[in-house]
Amino acid sequence: MTASASYRVEVCKEAFVFSAAHFITFAGDICERLHGHNYGVKVAVEGPLDANRYVVDFIALRDAVLHETLQLDHHVLLPSEHAEIKVQEEDGEMVARFRERRWVFPKEDCIVLPVINTTAEELARVIAQRVREQTRAKFGDAIETIEVGVDENHGQWGVCRLPW
């Protein structure tokens, strides 16, 4: 065995797909139209081998990722931290406003995320944080990093790498 070896476990399954609608702002003041994607997700964790000689249980990691993708599937994704996109609940509906524009959605069709913009990179961060929270008790503190990639358009990945 080599003391300098490092190990990584990756999961990228056909089931790690979610369809969702969103819109983002860019270039300071441009707000794109509401549109959707069929997002793909892959997750990797790095760390030492445990007594079983693996980094983590593939199945537990797979299940945590699948749980998160199912939560996001078929929803409108809205940001809670944007300086100009204001999202609030009004009479059982979610209302999003950007300057003179206004969108109204059924509350149950929306997920408000702790992000500035619902970009693939920010979605990757949220998924990484949630998978880490779900699996920390099972995986412990030996893991070094978690990395999540969110594919927005067949090969256009936003990736976030976080310390465990």
Side-chain angles (χ1 to χ4, degrees):
M1 287 192 303
T2 307
S4 63
S6 64
Y7 299 93
R8 176 181 175 101
V9 167
E10 295 183 7
V11 291
C12 184
K13 298 281 195 178
E14 216 173 280
F16 297 170
V17 173
F18 63 96
S19 299
H22 80 139
F23 58 90
I24 64 169
T25 60
F26 58 94
D29 64 346
I30 298 171
C31 185
E32 60 183 9
R33 294 175 60 131
L34 179 69
H35 64 282
H37 297 279
N38 292 320
Y39 294 95
V41 176
K42 64 181 176 180
V43 177
V45 295
E46 294 182 10
L49 297 181
D50 68 8
N52 298 308
R53 308 308 293 156
Y54 56 66
V55 178
V56 296
D57 176 2
F58 277 111
I59 303 303
L61 184 58
R62 178 203 66 194
D63 290 350
V65 177
L66 185 58
H67 174 78
E68 291 308 317
T69 57
L70 288 172
Q71 295 297 309
L72 297 169
D73 195 31
H74 288 88
H75 284 92
V76 177
L77 308 179
L78 299 170
S80 66
E81 308 300 317
H82 196 285
E84 291 193 66
I85 297 173
K86 303 301 178 197
V87 178
Q88 63 188 46
E89 182 182 346
E90 295 178 11
D91 300 320
E93 297 175 322
M94 297 304 291
V95 179
R97 291 182 176 86
F98 176 80
R99 299 183 181 168
E100 70 282 348
R101 294 173 74 182
R102 181 175 174 265
W103 301 264
V104 179
F105 307 102
K107 181 181 175 185
E108 63 271 10
D109 290 350
C110 297
I111 295 182
V112 180
L113 296 168
V115 299
I116 294 171
N117 240 345
T118 54
T119 60
E121 295 88 342
E122 289 257 60
L123 296 176
R125 178 183 53 82
V126 169
I127 293 169
Q129 290 170 330
R130 291 179 177 180
V131 168
R132 184 176 60 183
E133 289 168 15
Q134 276 188 64
T135 58
R136 186 180 294 279
K138 182 166 183 62
F139 296 163
D141 293 323
I143 303 302
E144 296 160 4
T145 61
I146 183 170
E147 181 177 288
V148 172
V150 173
D151 181 4
E152 180 179 272
N153 190 16
H154 304 289
Q156 294 177 191
W157 293 87
V159 178
C160 178
R161 182 182 173 103
L162 296 174
W164 189 255

